[in-house]
Amino acid sequence: TASKMKLLFGLSALTLMLAKADNTQDLCTDGIANLEEIMPSETVTDGHAIPDITVGSETYSGDHPHFVVNPGGKHEKIIVYIPGTTDRPSLSSCLIKSMSETLSFPVLALSYQYLSSGDKFRNGKCAGLVAAEGLSEQVNCLTEQHVDAIDGGDYGATHFKADGAAFWDEILPVNSLTRRLGDLLIFLNDSYPDQKWSNFLQEDMLTPAWEKIIFSGHSQGSGHVAYLAQTKNINGAVMISGPQDECIDCPEGTTFWIDDEYASSPDTPYTALAQGSEPLFDVMSDNWMRMKTANADINWVSPVAQSTGFGLKTTKEDAYETPLFTDVDFAATSTCGGKLHCSVAIDDSVPHIKTTDDETFYLYEATVWPSILTAASGKKVAKQGKAKKLRKRN
């Protein structure tokens, strides 16, 4: 009948809408003081295009806004947040709000060209290289994924699965994480010259001054944070649900980039947080152990993660002494595929309580997020000279 056909059509449309539904964003955006949203396309210094990003069958805008929390004045350091695969700052607005309320210096949450393949899938693709190219290429692949994202490169675009599909899309140097952050800093310096944002650029006035920046990230972003700590002298590292790099089926004793000597100075603080039942928690735990083994100066007394309980009494000292995990379940409102994985950083998955008049309190803003942020922000910034000329935007 016509009514049955109409009902079936409606259900089909609803199913399609749900299948393509995005995570619920901006749940805390209105509560972030001193927030400015800046599109990457507004900041480019040479007019280059900002590409969209295709992951599986879905295409995501590459020009979602950066979130910049600018309290005004001059500061010695900043914190940068790097989201995960398919994510953007607006999906972690509650975490960013906690950053803004916990820290006295600026927060920059990046919209960037993340690798177009999730961590678990990239690990598998790297493992697939062994049969034809050997173990050494699997190890190299685990490094090159971060090089592609951070510096720009085509390793993923020139290595292929059995079905002929590239591992992940090419990232041009102009769209690399390094350049995206540099362009944003130049834009901020042009917009607020009295605040001296140029202090967060190197002498070329394009490359970030790593030693003045705390890097934080979730999922894929957390892996990039760990790699930055290993290859640059950064000011601090906050790793949420990561790093998830894994040398799958590698012989015992096989090392990869996470086992190498760290470029960050001995006083660089590290903190880590994950959900204790998320699928790759054991991989993260092994990586934290590897990091401590490779870099005995890491502040953790033990690299074995300790529970935060219900997350109401976690201290900065707790976060400084060991990585942390939570066993609190994800929120019933979660629209994530990996709900436990999302529950420590993505707005609609973070456990929360709500009053009858619709006020919401997100559990980790009580003590968990503040503890990992403050414990990672204690490194002093060395004074140094700086060139005065700044590259201008077109």
Side-chain angles (χ1 to χ4, degrees):
T1 66
S3 61
K4 285 184 178 178
M5 290 293 292
K6 191 172 183 181
L7 175 62
L8 287 172
F9 178 80
L11 289 173
S12 298
L14 177 61
T15 301
L16 180 62
M17 285 172 63
L18 290 174
K20 297 179 74 65
D22 195 4
N23 299 110
T24 310
Q25 65 181 6
D26 288 321
L27 293 184
C28 294
T29 299
D30 288 345
I32 304 175
N34 304 309
L35 175 66
E36 185 174 0
E37 298 185 36
I38 302 169
M39 312 290 276
S41 57
E42 295 179 62
T43 73
V44 294
T45 51
D46 58 4
H48 67 265
I50 303 294
D52 289 339
I53 308 166
T54 299
V55 180
S57 61
E58 298 293 331
T59 298
Y60 301 85
S61 172
D63 203 26
H64 285 293
H66 303 298
F67 275 25
V68 176
V69 181
N70 181 6
K74 300 175 186 177
H75 299 272
E76 289 191 341
K77 64 177 68 176
I78 57 176
I79 187 168
V80 169
Y81 176 68
I82 307 172
T85 314
T86 75
D87 293 336
R88 54 193 182 272
S90 61
L91 295 177
S92 292
S93 66
C94 299
L95 171 58
I96 296 165
K97 177 175 177 285
S98 181
M99 289 181 174
S100 72
E101 293 173 348
T102 301
L103 305 172
S104 60
F105 44 84
V107 178
L108 277 60
L110 284 186
S111 174
Y112 73 112
Q113 190 177 347
Y114 46 77
L115 298 170
S116 60
S117 178
D119 293 0
K120 180 179 179 180
F121 298 104
R122 297 199 312 276
N123 290 337
K125 292 167 185 176
C126 291
L129 294 169
V130 174
E133 301 186 54
L135 176 63
S136 62
E137 194 54 38
Q138 178 182 7
V139 169
N140 183 48
C141 177
L142 292 171
T143 297
E144 291 297 327
Q145 59 184 341
H146 296 290
V147 175
D148 276 6
I150 293 170
D151 299 327
D154 63 358
Y155 183 91
T158 56
H159 289 76
F160 305 93
K161 299 190 300 178
D163 63 3
F167 280 9
W168 53 83
D169 292 340
E170 179 181 11
I171 297 178
L172 298 175
V174 292
N175 285 310
S176 66
L177 191 153
T178 297
R179 182 65 179 273
R180 193 67 62 89
L181 176 55
D183 283 350
L184 177 57
L185 290 167
I186 292 170
F187 178 90
L188 290 169
N189 192 74
D190 287 350
S191 302
Y192 307 103
D194 292 341
Q195 295 178 13
K196 302 296 182 184
W197 286 90
S198 59
N199 288 338
F200 302 108
L201 292 163
Q202 295 183 28
E203 290 186 1
D204 65 1
M205 289 302 166
L206 182 63
T207 308
W210 308 109
E211 69 280 1
K212 297 180 179 180
I213 303 173
I214 301 164
F215 284 90
S216 60
H218 175 246
S219 193
Q220 181 183 146
S222 180
H224 297 325
V225 169
Y227 188 79
L228 283 167
Q230 201 268 329
T231 56
K232 315 287 186 187
N233 182 19
I234 66 174
N235 194 269
V238 180
M239 299 167 288
I240 303 176
S241 288
Q244 299 184 110
D245 293 36
E246 181 183 12
C247 197
I248 296 175
D249 294 330
C250 292
E252 186 175 351
T254 302
T255 60
F256 63 102
W257 66 264
I258 208 164
D259 300 294
D260 293 339
E261 185 177 354
Y262 279 64
S264 289
S265 61
D267 58 342
T268 298
Y270 297 74
T271 62
L273 170 69
Q275 212 289 340
S277 297
E278 59 177 291
L280 294 186
F281 180 75
D282 288 344
V283 172
M284 296 175 221
S285 296
D286 183 63
N287 284 333
W288 298 332
M289 187 80 69
R290 286 171 176 263
M291 292 174 73
K292 179 66 174 178
T293 300
N295 183 6
D297 291 320
I298 284 182
N299 47 277
W300 296 327
V301 175
S302 168
V304 178
Q306 301 299 308
S307 174
T308 62
F310 284 102
L312 300 176
K313 297 181 179 180
T314 308
T315 67
K316 176 177 71 173
E317 290 73 25
D318 294 333
Y320 194 80
E321 291 179 356
T322 71
L324 302 175
F325 72 91
T326 174
D327 280 326
V328 178
D329 207 356
F330 58 84
T333 51
S334 176
T335 57
C336 271
K339 298 182 188 302
L340 291 171
H341 182 63
C342 290
S343 69
V344 286
I346 303 300
D347 284 1
D348 67 9
S349 302
V350 176
H352 59 269
I353 54 176
K354 185 174 284 191
T355 64
T356 53
D357 57 357
D358 217 29
E359 280 191 57
T360 304
F361 180 79
Y362 293 89
L363 179 64
Y364 301 129
E365 66 180 318
T367 64
V368 174
W369 285 337
S371 71
I372 61 173
L373 295 167
T374 54
S377 62
K379 180 178 176 180
K380 294 188 181 299
V381 176
K383 302 293 184 184
Q384 58 185 17
K386 172 127 349 243
K388 295 181 180 177
K389 199 164 192 178
L390 185 66
R391 180 179 295 207
K392 294 290 184 182
R393 292 174 292 112
N394 289 343

